[in-house]
Amino acid sequence: MPPTPAAVDAPPTSPESSAADGPTPTASAHAYDTGLLLLRIVLGLTIAAHGSQKLFGWFGGLGLDGIGKAFTGMGYPAGRTMAAIAGITEMLGGIGLVLGLITPLAGAAVFGTMVNAVVVDASGGFFLPEGVEYAVVLAAGAAALALTGPGRYAVDRLLPGLRAHRLTYGVAALLLGAVLAAGTLLTRH
């Protein structure tokens, strides 16, 4: 009989060890969930703050008018509208990650916006100050959360459909994020 999806997605807590190898160290389920919580909070608050820079000019941001002009300069049509979409996506994706709320889609939202950032800024190389390393790290962290799920300390644990995270949810969400990112990039001239 195959294992249940919840058993497949659960972190290892007590794997069997062979007599020849001795005891195998195991990951504590609480350590796993606490690590995911830390990643969700830091990544989510960081990206939500970026969204608030775009939308409201908080934290030294340019607000919609300034970011809208920058988006227009990057070749996006209707720069102010695109800036609003990016800001809202970052805010909602970041808050979703912090709360562990609809985590696959929240991770995919952050992933998609960071894919756009990487492509637009790729000519600056990999390393900062003009490179894409920061956006790559944010995209990878968001993708990892979409794939692994939020852990047990999350609102998703209260939602029947998301209580037991499945890899397929994360893969489907990331594919959606990639398609939407590609579509957004195709609007540039």
Side-chain angles (χ1 to χ4, degrees):
M1 178 177 203
T4 64
V8 170
D9 291 332
T13 54
S14 59
E16 298 295 321
S17 60
S18 71
D21 296 328
T24 304
T26 61
S28 160
H30 292 290
Y32 174 87
D33 294 323
T34 303
L36 288 173
L37 175 64
L38 176 63
L39 178 60
R40 285 190 359 249
I41 289 171
V42 171
L43 193 127
L45 288 177
T46 299
I47 201 69
H50 275 277
S52 71
Q53 287 181 309
K54 289 175 178 68
L55 294 173
F56 312 116
W58 296 350
F59 308 112
L62 300 175
L64 278 179
D65 291 332
I67 293 295
K69 289 176 185 171
F71 271 52
T72 300
M74 290 182 257
Y76 288 100
R80 192 170 196 278
T81 301
M82 295 302 279
I85 291 169
I88 290 167
T89 302
E90 289 176 355
M91 287 266 314
L92 293 179
I95 291 168
L97 288 178
V98 169
L99 297 174
L101 177 62
I102 313 173
T103 306
L105 289 178
V110 173
F111 174 77
T113 58
M114 292 301 102
V115 166
N116 270 273
V118 167
V119 171
V120 169
D121 295 336
S123 64
F126 183 74
F127 295 104
L128 292 174
E130 280 116 34
V132 296
E133 67 179 315
Y134 181 64
V136 168
V137 169
L138 291 175
L145 287 168
L147 294 171
T148 62
R152 124 180 33 192
Y153 310 128
V155 175
D156 281 355
R157 296 283 292 178
L158 305 174
L159 304 174
L162 294 173
R163 187 170 293 134
H165 181 80
R166 290 174 177 75
L167 178 62
T168 54
Y169 295 168
V171 171
L174 289 175
L175 286 173
L176 176 63
V179 167
L180 292 173
T184 303
L185 287 166
L186 289 173
T187 66
R188 291 178 65 217
H189 52 278

